[in-house]
Amino acid sequence: MTTPTRDGAPPKNSWKQYVADFVKAPRQAKAALMGSLLLVAISPSALSALTPYVAPAYAMKTGTTPSDAILLFVTVPLVIGPLLLPVVGRWVDRQGARRVAIPAVILYAITTAAVPLAAGRTWLLETLLILAAICGFAASLGVVFKVISTWFPEHRGIGFGFVGVTSSLAGAVLSPVFQWLVNGDAPAVPSGGSPSTAPPSGKPPVSAADPGVFTGLGWDGVYYVVATAIAVIGIPAVLWLISEPKVTVPAGPKLLEADLPGVPFRRAVRTRAWIFIVLLLTFVSTGPVSVRQNAVDLFGQSGIDAATVSLGLSVLFSASVVGLLVAGTVLDRARHPWIVAVLIATVPVGLALALINGGSLALFYVAMALLGFATGAESALGPALIAKYLGLKSFGSMQGLTLAITGSALALAPYAVSAIQASSGSYTPPLLMLVGLTGIGVVLAALLPKYPRPWVMQTPAEDDVPRQPTVAS
């Protein structure tokens, strides 16, 4: 086993060795990683690509305003859904990932399939959407970070990066698929909810009576397809792929968490490291998501049209993949926490460029690339830092609590920016506030305490799985 450096930082091995060690992971570890990525691909985060088409379709069919439809399908489920992740994480810490994932993914499929049955009863529809979000987050984000942490202790950063990459790529691929499933080949419907009076340029109008025309499944029918996909992909992934390394349970406590190295939950939530991690992620994450959700109106005031903004958003999502992979690999090998401040400093810089942009396309694309890079980096930072500072004993519950806090900020920040803009008549005040908040996040990252010595689980050569873990001293 490679000996850690004196300050507890990762060993100085080459990039070639780093990659080779990842490739040589045990077969069970690779299977668990694949299962984790499959769960991420059907998670509420990946399936959020559905809501831009479901919400307007629901609004048009029911006469609901578009804003109320967004509140119903997007805001409330995404605010409440992650709130139980600390409880789910605690359950994972104590009982194991598979025992949590099996009932969670089954309930996720059932509640998703039940959503169309609540059509016409708004309170029941909202309840089912919230339950589906809770079960979906529990079956994916509540499980996968713990699985990756235990199987890849030296490659957590890149493992967490793969989680974000999978979510981003799934959203990119599924977006046109969901659009077609909901709307079919019918003419586009504007955001206001009334059918377009003219078909798209160059395309003849289609007739719903034409048997050769797919008119779409509507907002409700698509949920049956999604529920089927969740069951077909999620249940086999949990039963056949998801696992955790075996540990020897000593006499006495029978809970899995007792055998893992790390800081207990009650002590972990009081550490300066975790408090700083939560605050810096909460502050920094508000910038990219607020710009992304308000991009058309924000940059439209500078004379940048919607088509160009759409291309800029593609740049943002592409840069997020780069940010995930770069941040993951850098965190695995970084010996000092100040690198975190460097990674997230792209947020206030990108916001400043968006603020001073007077219509320059060059500044626009640079700003979107910087914000996208940070978006990806943030996804890998939280779980990687928690594992480094606090170990694995309470990792699931700590990661769940972190996601619950930061997830609420992600859901509320765009609406706060829009409200401030509406009251002030300008995006300058909210952008200045975001620059200040994200700047504080960078300062908190620079003040993170020194990394502790690594939390080590000894791996016996005979079976290539960790047994009784020990803390390096």
Side-chain angles (χ1 to χ4, degrees), residues 408-427:
S408 297
L410 286 172
L412 296 174
Y415 297 95
V417 168
S418 179
I420 295 174
Q421 187 276 335
S423 61
S424 65
S426 171
Y427 277 103

Side-chain angles (χ1 to χ4, degrees), residues 156 262-263 271 273-274 277 336-338 340 383-391 445 447-453 455:
R156 292 184 185 120
V263 182
T271 60
W274 181 77
I277 290 169
H336 303 285
W338 57 260
V340 177
L385 290 175
I386 290 172
K388 278 180 178 289
Y389 282 108
L390 305 174
L447 296 177
L448 282 170
K450 183 180 178 181
Y451 288 145
R453 288 185 178 275
W455 305 94

Side-chain angles (χ1 to χ4, degrees), residues 398-453:
M398 297 304 299
Q399 173 64 5
L401 182 58
T402 302
L403 287 173
I405 295 172
T406 58
S408 297
L410 286 172
L412 296 174
Y415 297 95
V417 168
S418 179
I420 295 174
Q421 187 276 335
S423 61
S424 65
S426 171
Y427 277 103
T428 299
L431 284 180
L432 286 174
M433 292 177 62
L434 289 176
V435 170
L437 282 176
T438 55
I440 293 173
V442 174
V443 172
L444 290 172
L447 296 177
L448 282 170
K450 183 180 178 181
Y451 288 145
R453 288 185 178 275

Side-chain angles (χ1 to χ4, degrees), residues 269-448:
V269 294
R270 299 195 298 268
T271 60
R272 179 163 68 97
W274 181 77
I275 294 172
F276 277 25
I277 290 169
V278 172
L279 289 177
L280 72 89
L281 290 176
T282 301
F283 291 159
V284 171
S285 64
T286 58
V289 71
S290 296
V291 170
R292 188 170 78 242
Q293 296 294 337
N294 293 280
V296 173
D297 189 41
L298 168 63
F299 294 106
Q301 296 186 5
S302 300
I304 300 176
D305 60 53
T308 304
V309 170
S310 176
L311 183 58
L313 289 174
S314 296
V315 171
L316 185 149
F317 285 118
S318 300
S320 72
V321 174
V322 177
L324 280 160
L325 297 177
V326 170
T329 53
V330 167
L331 285 173
D332 279 337
R333 298 178 55 81
R335 304 180 61 199
H336 303 285
W338 57 260
I339 192 65
V340 177
V342 176
L343 291 172
I344 64 176
T346 54
V347 177
V349 174
L351 290 172
L353 292 178
L355 180 61
I356 66 175
N357 190 351
S360 168
L361 291 181
L363 287 180
F364 167 67
Y365 287 124
V366 171
M368 298 303 268
L370 290 173
L371 294 174
F373 178 88
T375 299
E378 292 162 16
S379 299
L381 283 176
L385 290 175
I386 290 172
K388 278 180 178 289
Y389 282 108
L390 305 174
L392 299 179
K393 184 180 293 291
S394 59
F395 178 86
S397 48
M398 297 304 299
Q399 173 64 5
L401 182 58
T402 302
L403 287 173
I405 295 172
T406 58
S408 297
L410 286 172
L412 296 174
Y415 297 95
V417 168
S418 179
I420 295 174
Q421 187 276 335
S423 61
S424 65
S426 171
Y427 277 103
T428 299
L431 284 180
L432 286 174
M433 292 177 62
L434 289 176
V435 170
L437 282 176
T438 55
I440 293 173
V442 174
V443 172
L444 290 172
L447 296 177
L448 282 170

